[in-house]
Amino acid sequence: MSDITTREDAEKYITDNHIEFVSVRFTDLLGTQQHFTVPADRFSSEGFTNGFFFDGSSIKGFQGIEKSDMKLIPDVDTIYIDPFRTHKTMVCDFSIVDPYTDEPYSRDPRQVATKAEAYLRTTGVADTAIFAPEAEFFMFDKVRYDTRVNTSFYDVDSAEAAWNSGSQNNGPDEQDVPNKGIHEHMGEGYFPVPPLDHNQDVRDQMMKTSPGDIVLGRCPAGGAGPGADRYNTLLHAADDLMKYKYIVKNTAAQYGKVVTFMPKPLAGENGTGMHNHQSLWKDGKPLFYGDGYGQLSDIARWYIGGLIKHAGSVMAFTNPTTNSYRRLVPGYEAPVDLVYSARNRSAAIRIPIAGSSPAAKRIEFRVPDPTANPYLAFSAEMMAGLDGVLNRIEPPDPIDKDLYELPPEQAKGIKVVPGSLGETLDILEADHDFLMQGDVFTQDLLDQWVKIKRDEILQLRLTPTPQEFDMYFDA
């Protein structure tokens, strides 16, 4: 959150910083940020009085053409200066309302997050939900892909990747440089120092450009992660994540590289997750610290119970693509076992070591990935956890063993995540009452979400893959 809270603050900021244009930002149902640009004086004169109107039928998942007019209203608390524009441009996130009634638009993800925070306060359990996502990504030097009726392929490349160890040249970004043999081994690219790490300067620039406390670690094959956004309230943590993705992608582009948040872009390599740290607070005091297992309170334990109980439904929003489930495969690094544990990264819910400070006590839901729309994902997670608190849902007993190495007889009784997007949608259709409390998620939004996602599944079912040609062409 910024220090700008009123129209007067925003107008002073525009004057003091010599702002020429304002980028009007909003997020569509699937989690893609949209925008248009207006002169700064028009933002001041129109944005706060009438709002800005746009064609909702041009945005996937929003309105039909017969009811296409929608209205945007600013949240000045999200203002920052765009570091990538030639002319001085200020970014501001907007929420969507009905153009006639000013009622929140049910399919606006930001309004869902706003309603989730409001509902939390009405329960009396807590007044604030705090989130911090770790959104991992891969960074490549070259990407090509195509799908037609007669062909389908993808081709990604990175100068530091192991598969370039035998190339004549150093890699796709250094075609005229003889290969020096400085390439990562597969699965060993988390913590190397330069020159084995080819992209340190890029990540340094990402951190320098990003406002707030952002830390970039490493992933193999040209990747980087996690990006730990600073802790913030549910709504503004989602705003921060959209800002983070914008900065990371544009900084990479300045260096001639490309970033993807796709969960599984490489076969046989670990994918990208988005581990979501979260906790509840009331009257400025943390509610997850206690004297139970892992120094958890009863509220924290029940929150975990709700998250585990409703995990299948929640994953329709936290893992919303068919590619998400190529990462969530039993026996590999991504957590698929729906249990909780202190320190144990093989569990779906981890209790990070946070010292003795009650304020640092939190849980980490490790299943999500960064294709999620954060406004919907964080809201769904909180609504599931809150349902656990309200109904005192007990989670399964914690497990401190390596879940990947459990004997079959012990692993047999552990609940695991759904194995496909279709399975999560089936669960969502059967279990969604907890999401609709306080009108946070509406039936209209849920129906539209399921429709879009089932259309995506059908598209994949109708398309043969290169792997299938490799396996079955000579049948």
Side-chain angles (χ1 to χ4, degrees):
M1 292 182 291
S2 69
D3 296 327
I4 304 169
T5 58
T6 67
R7 173 179 179 172
E8 290 71 24
D9 292 339
E11 290 175 340
K12 184 176 187 301
Y13 185 87
I14 289 171
T15 301
D16 291 348
N17 290 279
H18 308 289
I19 300 297
E20 299 176 68
F21 299 101
V22 175
S23 175
V24 176
R25 301 278 175 95
F26 61 99
T27 301
D28 67 21
L29 185 61
L30 297 181
T32 300
Q33 199 168 59
Q34 311 283 345
H35 98 124
F36 57 87
T37 300
V38 298
D41 58 352
R42 186 180 166 198
F43 172 79
S44 298
S45 62
E46 293 183 40
F48 294 101
T49 52
N50 301 320
F52 293 113
F53 294 86
F54 74 101
D55 177 7
S57 66
S58 64
I59 305 298
K60 186 174 182 178
F62 277 5
Q63 293 293 93
I65 196 169
E66 74 283 0
K67 295 181 180 179
S68 59
D69 289 339
M70 304 299 296
K71 180 179 174 181
L72 293 162
I73 55 173
D75 181 350
V76 297
D77 206 11
T78 64
I79 282 174
Y80 70 96
I81 294 175
D82 192 323
F84 303 105
R85 302 279 65 83
T86 301
H87 299 281
K88 203 69 172 289
T89 300
M90 182 184 80
V91 175
C92 183
D93 290 329
F94 281 65
S95 296
I96 307 171
V97 298
D98 183 276
Y100 295 108
T101 66
D102 282 344
E103 289 294 312
Y105 178 46
S106 67
R107 298 182 191 177
D108 175 17
R110 215 166 174 276
Q111 294 284 22
V112 172
T114 300
K115 290 188 292 182
E117 290 184 322
Y119 173 66
L120 174 64
R121 292 189 290 270
T122 68
T123 65
V125 171
D127 52 36
T128 307
I130 298 295
F131 276 77
E134 298 177 21
E136 300 169 337
F137 58 85
F138 279 88
M139 185 159 55
F140 296 112
D141 294 303
K142 184 185 75 172
V143 178
R144 298 188 307 127
Y145 57 88
D146 198 4
T147 298
R148 305 180 198 173
V149 68
N150 67 320
T151 186
S152 179
F153 76 92
Y154 67 90
D155 179 20
V156 300
D157 210 349
S158 170
E160 64 183 0
W163 58 74
N164 277 313
S165 62
S167 302
Q168 282 291 112
N169 301 315
N170 204 42
D173 60 343
E174 298 173 331
Q175 292 297 332
D176 298 325
V177 180
N179 198 338
K180 301 296 192 298
I182 304 174
H183 304 280
E184 300 171 358
H185 294 289
M186 295 296 285
E188 298 181 10
Y190 280 90
F191 300 118
V193 297
L196 191 58
D197 178 0
H198 292 213
N199 296 312
Q200 183 64 58
D201 287 339
V202 187
R203 297 195 310 280
D204 287 349
Q205 187 60 43
M206 290 172 179
M207 287 188 283
K208 185 178 178 181
T209 305
S210 301
D213 182 19
I214 290 179
V215 179
L216 293 177
R218 290 282 293 134
C219 277
D229 282 334
R230 62 185 183 271
Y231 288 85
N232 214 332
T233 57
L234 187 155
L235 172 64
H236 289 301
D239 290 334
D240 287 343
L241 182 59
M242 300 307 293
K243 181 195 306 179
Y244 162 79
K245 293 175 82 169
Y246 177 73
I247 288 172
V248 164
K249 287 181 177 182
N250 279 278
T251 304
Q254 288 181 327
Y255 283 81
K257 300 179 185 295
V258 63
V259 158
T260 178
F261 289 92
M262 186 176 177
K264 192 74 169 179
L266 296 175
E269 270 287 2
N270 296 326
T272 56
M274 185 173 72
H275 309 149
N276 290 336
H277 298 253
Q278 53 202 275
S279 60
L280 297 180
W281 293 60
K282 186 175 184 180
D283 298 328
K285 297 179 180 179
L287 300 180
F288 275 14
Y289 185 82
D291 57 5
Y293 172 84
Q295 294 183 311
L296 292 180
S297 65
D298 289 342
I299 286 177
R301 191 180 70 255
W302 294 328
Y303 188 100
I304 291 170
L307 198 48
I308 290 177
K309 177 182 177 180
H310 299 298
S313 298
V314 169
M315 285 175 61
F317 299 102
T318 61
N319 303 79
T321 68
T322 57
N323 187 256
S324 299
Y325 298 86
R326 300 192 190 283
R327 167 180 167 260
L328 297 173
V329 178
Y332 293 86
E333 182 177 275
V336 297
D337 294 298
L338 289 169
V339 296
Y340 75 110
S341 179
R343 302 175 59 183
N344 188 351
R345 281 179 165 79
S346 63
I349 297 177
R350 186 174 77 98
I351 308 161
I353 295 177
S356 58
S357 170
K361 182 56 62 178
R362 62 194 187 274
I363 68 164
E364 176 192 5
F365 189 37
R366 295 175 57 80
V367 175
D369 68 60
T371 58
N373 181 330
Y375 301 100
L376 301 182
F378 299 168
S379 298
E381 290 173 59
M382 191 212 72
M383 294 296 286
L386 186 56
D387 186 65
V389 176
L390 293 172
N391 293 288
R392 301 194 173 190
I393 298 172
E394 292 290 343
D397 291 337
I399 298 178
D400 292 324
K401 299 177 180 179
D402 183 349
L403 293 163
Y404 305 133
E405 301 296 332
L406 284 182
E409 61 274 12
Q410 287 184 263
K412 188 176 181 180
I414 297 176
K415 182 181 177 182
V416 298
V417 301
S420 69
L421 179 59
E423 192 177 338
T424 67
L425 297 177
D426 291 341
I427 296 171
L428 175 64
E429 289 182 310
D431 175 32
H432 55 256
D433 288 348
F434 72 98
L435 294 170
M436 300 177 71
Q437 300 303 306
D439 200 39
V440 174
F441 286 77
T442 64
Q443 192 65 54
D444 171 70
L445 184 150
L446 295 175
D447 290 344
Q448 182 73 345
W449 185 264
V450 170
K451 179 183 182 302
I452 290 173
K453 292 300 167 180
R454 290 210 185 277
D455 286 346
E456 292 178 8
I457 294 170
L458 178 60
Q459 189 173 350
L460 266 293
R461 289 184 64 188
L462 293 172
T463 306
T465 67
Q467 181 65 38
E468 288 174 315
F469 269 77
D470 184 63
M471 295 170 65
Y472 307 128
F473 184 74
D474 61 351

